[in-house]
Amino acid sequence: MWFDPEADYLEVQFREASGFMRPTAKDALMERVDGEGHVLGFSVLGVSRFRKDHPLEAELVVGE
């Protein structure tokens, strides 16, 4: 997990592998996937705007 407070950016990796970022249905959320579509992690831009009473909820799609 990596957080950059100046950029307000959070990145979480489940495992280290080659991959690319893919957009999701949520503007703030990108998922990192490998060439076969396996989810390797995700990132959130503007993470501080999400509060306990209004959290970011999303599903990561596997193998599309």
Side-chain angles (χ1 to χ4, degrees):
M1 181 169 43
W2 180 72
F3 177 65
D4 181 343
E6 288 183 25
D8 200 18
Y9 177 81
L10 172 71
E11 185 168 348
V12 176
Q13 289 187 2
F14 303 129
R15 65 182 175 100
E16 294 232 6
S18 296
F20 60 94
M21 298 304 274
R22 171 169 78 180
T24 68
K26 305 287 184 178
D27 289 339
L29 181 68
M30 299 282 285
E31 59 187 3
R32 178 175 292 284
V33 296
D34 65 14
E36 297 174 0
H38 300 113
V39 177
L40 303 172
F42 63 91
S43 66
V44 180
L45 183 60
V47 71
S48 66
R49 69 181 155 175
F50 300 103
R51 304 283 185 215
K52 192 175 194 175
D53 61 338
H54 190 65
L56 172 65
E57 294 183 21
E59 292 183 28
L60 301 177
V61 179
V62 179
E64 244 188 11

